[in-house]
């Protein structure tokens, strides 16, 4: 499909068109091979696409996905989606939130965990060095407890606010608070590293 596109960023340029493509349907992928998909530049993802196609067909195809949209339990939808090759909890929650009407799905990564630690519960990570399934759920629960309506979308707005391109439109005191917390976390990491070095030296 071709859509209109402006020629420059000032709004005064000529209008041309840009070609955009939709995702392939299940039917169009029915006879695709891993080799063909690799040939299109999909690399290691080709295998996941073939395995996902096969499991999706076995699960009921489009009807299976449409049924997930009617579910009211984002965690149950996540459990269904992580059965597919290459899909972890975060990607499953992204799909659930952005495509399957699961407003309670909270995609959690280290940036989202930092927001939760800074703004809601500084102890959420505890002594863990990475996001375990228990911490993943706890971080999501912090957003769900705070925002009882559309917590997934509240999470998305807070996530976007952390991006450098949005700093200029945030209130100055908010940016200062974000920077101070970041510096505090960096100091804590450095102190822990130094303490570990000293312990090893003994």
């Amino acid at each position: 499909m071709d859509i209109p596109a402006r020629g420059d960023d000032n709004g005064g340029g000529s209008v041309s068109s840009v070609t955009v493509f939709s995702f392939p349907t299940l039917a169009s992928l029915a006879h695709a091979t891993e080799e063909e998909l690799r040939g299109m530049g999909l690399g290691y993802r080709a295998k996941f696409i073939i395995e996902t196609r096969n499991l999706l067909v076995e699960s009921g195809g489009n009807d299976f996905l449409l049924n997930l949209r009617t579910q009211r339990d984002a965690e149950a939808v996540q459990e269904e989606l992580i059965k597919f090759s290459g899909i972890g909890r975060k990607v499953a929650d992204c799909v659930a939130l952005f495509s399957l009407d699961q407003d309670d799905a909270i995609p959690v990564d280290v940036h989202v965990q930092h927001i939760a630690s800074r703004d809601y519960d500084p102890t959420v990570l505890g002594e863990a060095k990475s996001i375990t399934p228990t911490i993943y759920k706890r971080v999501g629960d912090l957003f769900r407890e705070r925002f009882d309506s559309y917590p997934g979308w509240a999470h998305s707005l807070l996530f976007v606010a952390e991006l450098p391109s949005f700093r200029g439109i945030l209130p100055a005191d908010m940016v200062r608070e974000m920077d101070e917390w970041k510096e505090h976390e960096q100091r804590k990491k450095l102190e822990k590293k130094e303490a570990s070095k000293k312990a090893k030296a003994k």
Side-chain angles (χ1 to χ4, degrees):
M1 170 173 55
D2 289 339
I3 59 170
R6 293 211 175 269
D8 65 33
D9 291 337
N10 299 322
S14 60
V15 176
S16 59
S17 66
V18 174
T19 303
V20 295
F21 300 92
S22 63
F23 279 100
T25 63
L26 203 49
S28 69
L29 286 172
H31 303 293
T33 65
E34 184 178 336
E35 293 71 29
E36 287 171 334
L37 295 178
R38 283 184 180 276
M40 298 168 83
L42 290 168
Y44 71 91
R45 294 174 189 87
K47 178 183 172 194
F48 294 153
I49 292 169
I50 296 299
E51 290 174 354
T52 294
R53 175 203 62 199
N54 294 345
L55 182 54
L56 189 51
V57 168
E58 287 171 28
S59 302
N62 290 338
D63 289 340
F64 168 77
L65 295 174
L66 291 171
N67 182 55
L68 290 181
R69 289 184 87 174
T70 67
Q71 301 298 313
R72 290 300 101 209
D73 182 351
E75 200 171 332
V77 172
Q78 182 200 84
E79 290 299 325
E80 287 296 322
L81 293 173
I82 62 174
K83 293 175 183 174
F84 291 91
S85 289
I87 305 292
R89 293 192 187 283
K90 182 194 170 189
V91 170
D93 280 341
C94 286
V95 172
L97 177 63
F98 302 128
S99 299
L100 297 175
D101 298 334
Q102 299 299 316
D103 300 325
D104 284 353
I106 312 288
V108 175
D109 62 11
V110 70
H111 305 292
V112 174
Q113 178 264 310
H114 285 168
I115 294 168
S117 293
R118 182 190 68 218
D119 297 340
Y120 309 129
D121 182 359
T123 68
V124 72
L125 193 59
E127 293 301 311
K129 292 186 173 143
S130 62
I131 299 172
T132 64
T134 301
I135 291 170
Y136 187 101
K137 183 175 183 325
R138 181 66 191 125
V139 169
D141 285 345
L142 286 169
F143 285 94
R144 284 183 281 269
E145 289 160 10
R146 181 136 182 129
F147 305 100
D148 57 351
S149 296
Y150 304 104
W153 296 105
H155 140 279
S156 295
L157 285 172
L158 292 167
F159 177 83
V160 167
E162 299 284 316
L163 300 175
S165 55
F166 284 86
R167 283 175 69 89
I169 61 171
L170 295 176
D173 59 333
M174 185 182 286
V175 172
R176 186 169 55 254
E177 186 181 308
M178 289 161 64
D179 289 342
E180 285 170 359
W181 186 85
K182 192 174 180 182
E183 286 168 19
H184 171 72
E185 285 298 296
Q186 287 170 342
R187 273 196 309 275
K188 263 176 43 181
K189 275 185 187 172
L190 195 58
E191 286 165 10
K192 203 179 267 189
K193 197 174 180 180
E194 291 300 319
S196 177
K197 273 186 192 173
K198 284 178 184 173
K200 285 178 184 174
K202 287 182 180 177

